[in-house]
DNA sequence: GGCTATCTTGAACGACTATTCCAAAACCAC
DNA sequence: GTGGTTTTGGAATAGTCGTTCAAGATAGCC
């Protein structure tokens, strides 16, 4: 019926993600995206609307591949405490491999959410809440198994962990030292320990 | 000998800080700064060099007034554990009053440190390290008084708290809900508790 | 083969960017 | 008042920004 697209959408998103992740939304120009994706300006606009929409698509793809999947897809009989440790350690490992210290795209965007970008604000908030939900479930199982303290509710502990993850991501960017990140994870986990050890 | 400046440097910095804080470095234009400070473009460049230098001056002033002063200026006989709680609670209080959710200028900049701004990167890193140093001293006193766990070194615990503070600041921006922030502080403090309670 | 619908292309758009420059104004020391 | 020095005001610069648009290219359907 018509001329078909000559590119794979996900490939374009991956290349665009690399640029956005590396330079941030504001510092990324359309020209950067044209260079990185190989697409023409017109094709970009035709396929993704404008820069903000393209960024939104990139964020969706980033979230779909994020470490939170680790928690959601774990088998029910996995140790909740170990699962959380793996999650935090995963953040640290990612930081170790991230030689140019890009950090986490979601955290960076959350901290850089300037102006009145209402859509992205709610996207971020909902993303954090859904991570909170997943963590809350894991924590509840952990409390039932006696692996995690009952001094706080699963919800409160989940919020604590979401915040801790944001902290780790900021540190990974600002002071990307493995010793530091290890110390952070170790002490973050201590807050989860049951009273009687 | 010559014509004197017609403005107070600190007043200009305060106004510039408000804009940078609200919109971020990239989204703040010289025109915004001209409007906010009341200074003419020429005067701005004459007094502060360029945009990056002005921002650096703003950051210096921000740091000088930051909550870390609370820790450094506390009397030696103050309860270290209470001091740390006050520090974290101070972040939450600031978030409560911050109706437009600007968060922490340092954290925002740390997470948004894109490109190769070497000077600002090291400024951020040194700022975080100096906060780490102050916290480490407080923690050491707390350990001596039995208020804080000895399971980790003061340095490791300090790093944990620096990271926790970054997390709180990100959350204050992304999900500025008082209940959430309270839960985070409560559980952050638990990691400091001595084993025998 | 023509028709239609889509994608691609590259130039062009106006608006905004940070920065520079220079004449005019304002002050101080003499 | 005068000379010397700095600030000031505002125009001007050169560049980049995100976006649009019209023409050309390519495919399937009748």
């Amino acid at each position: 019926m018509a001329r078909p697209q000559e590119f794979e959408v996900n490939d374009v998103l991956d290349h665009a993600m690399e640029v956005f992740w590396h330079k941030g939304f504001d510092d990324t120009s359309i020209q950067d995206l044209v260079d990185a994706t190989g697409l023409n300006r017109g094709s970009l606009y035709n396929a993704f609307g404008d820069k903000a929409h393209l960024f939104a698509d990139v964020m969706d793809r980033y979230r779909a591949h994020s470490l939170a999947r680790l928690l959601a897809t774990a088998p029910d009989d996995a140790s909740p405490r170990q699962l959380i440790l793996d999650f935090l350690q995963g953040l640290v490992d990612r930081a170790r491999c991230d030689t140019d210290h890009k950090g986490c795209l979601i955290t960076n965007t959350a901290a850089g959410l300037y102006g009145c970008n209402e859509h992205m604000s709610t996207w971020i908030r909902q993303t954090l809440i859904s991570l909170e939900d997943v963590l809350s479930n894991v924590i509840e199982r952990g409390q039932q198994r006696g692996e995690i303290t009952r001094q706080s509710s699963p919800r409160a502990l989940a919020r604590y962990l979401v915040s801790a993850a944001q902290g780790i991501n900021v540190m990974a960017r600002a002071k990307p030292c493995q010793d530091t990140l290890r110390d952070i994870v170790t002490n973050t986990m201590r807050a989860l320990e049951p009273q009687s050890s």
Side-chain angles (χ1 to χ4, degrees), chain A residues 146-180:
Chain A
E147 291 183 1
I148 292 176
T149 181
R150 289 178 183 271
Q151 286 196 284
S152 287
S153 68
R155 176 64 49 184
L157 285 168
R159 287 168 169 174
Y160 161 72
L161 285 176
V162 171
S163 176
Q166 304 312 306
I168 290 172
N169 288 332
V170 171
M171 296 303 285
R173 208 154 153 56
K175 186 167 175 281
C177 152
Q178 281 294 302
D179 288 346
T180 297

Side-chain angles (χ1 to χ4, degrees), chain A residues 56 80 185:
Chain A
V185 170

Side-chain angles (χ1 to χ4, degrees), chain A residues 65-87:
Chain A
H65 288 72
S66 78
L67 277 166
R69 274 208 317 179
L70 194 139
L71 298 165
T73 64
D76 279 354
D77 59 339
S79 157
R81 200 168 180 290
Q82 185 65 41
L83 219 51
I84 291 169
L85 180 58
D86 288 346
F87 170 64

